[in-house]
Amino acid sequence: MKGIVFTEFLELVEDKFGLEMVDNIITSSTLESGGIYTAVGTYSFSEMLQLLTHLSENTGISIDNLLLVYAEHFFSVIENSYPGLLATYNDPIEMISSIENHIHVEVRKIYPDAELPTFEVVEKTENSLVLIYTSSRAMHHFGLGLMNKTFAHFNATATIDLQKIKEDGTEVRFVINKN
Ligand code: HEM
């Protein structure tokens, strides 16, 4: 997992819960990195999972909800860091249906070692989209948060239904209907 995901996460944790919480979740985890991340580095996903788990235990907020809120913050990082990629699109359905064959393809050019999910387009109309998310990291709520903000970016809203195909969340169906 790329360092930018860690640096932005810890910044958000500091913002919302304070530096003491950052220190707490780092020291209660077993981290190969020692909890020191650089934006361009690459770190084990298990480090993120430990940080999330300890934050969840300390705050009583579920990992899914933490990932949802984090993704909504991460979208603004994307807006600031990759404005050109977003400017390619003028419609949220077009953008979300292009993650697999364009957006994450570009991401992989920037970070060849990025660990990305797959988003298979199953059905697409002007105002609706059905996608299958697959990833061993089960970060579907991170995807949900990014989708929410994608609609907001285009001054639109949507009803997004998340259906787990596999209980462990490694395969999930997203049914998206633009309002
Ligand atoms: C992961 C970039 C749009 C869904 C990531 C990562 C980056 C990235 C850098 C982390 C990879 C790693 O840590 O190794 C971008 C950029 C985007 C974009 C630059 C837009 C310009 C989206 C959108 C979605 C999405 C719109 C929404 C469906 C995800 C998910 C992950 C991810 C769910 C987590 C990894 C996983 O589930 O396995 N993306 N992304 N991305 N992205 Fe994107």
Side-chain angles (χ1 to χ4, degrees), residues 1-6 42-43 45 74-75 78-79 81-82 85-86 89 95-96 99 103-104 106-107 110-111 113-119 131 133-147 150 174:
M1 175 155 274
K2 294 312 297 175
I4 190 171
V5 183
F6 288 88
T42 303
Y43 308 90
F45 173 66
F74 197 75
F75 193 85
I78 289 174
E79 282 179 317
S81 307
Y82 309 98
L85 212 46
L86 291 186
Y89 297 97
M95 177 169 151
I96 294 169
I99 299 168
I103 293 177
H104 279 173
E106 294 302 316
V107 171
I110 306 167
Y111 306 117
D113 55 356
E115 295 179 300
L116 298 163
T118 63
F119 280 100
L131 290 175
Y133 162 90
T134 308
S135 168
S136 61
R137 291 165 291 285
M139 289 175 70
H140 40 80
H141 271 63
F142 189 76
L144 182 60
L146 290 177
M147 288 178 197
T150 300
F174 284 95

Side-chain angles (χ1 to χ4, degrees), residues 9-10 21-35 37 46-55 57-58:
F9 175 72
L10 292 174
M21 181 66 87
V22 173
D23 204 49
N24 180 332
I25 63 173
I26 287 175
T27 52
S28 50
S29 303
T30 309
L31 306 172
E32 214 179 302
S33 67
Y37 302 101
S46 82
E47 297 204 3
M48 179 52 73
L49 200 54
Q50 289 186 67
L51 295 169
L52 279 167
T53 302
H54 291 130
L55 184 61
E57 285 167 1
N58 283 309

Side-chain angles (χ1 to χ4, degrees), residues 14 132 136:
E14 184 181 341
I132 307 282
S136 61

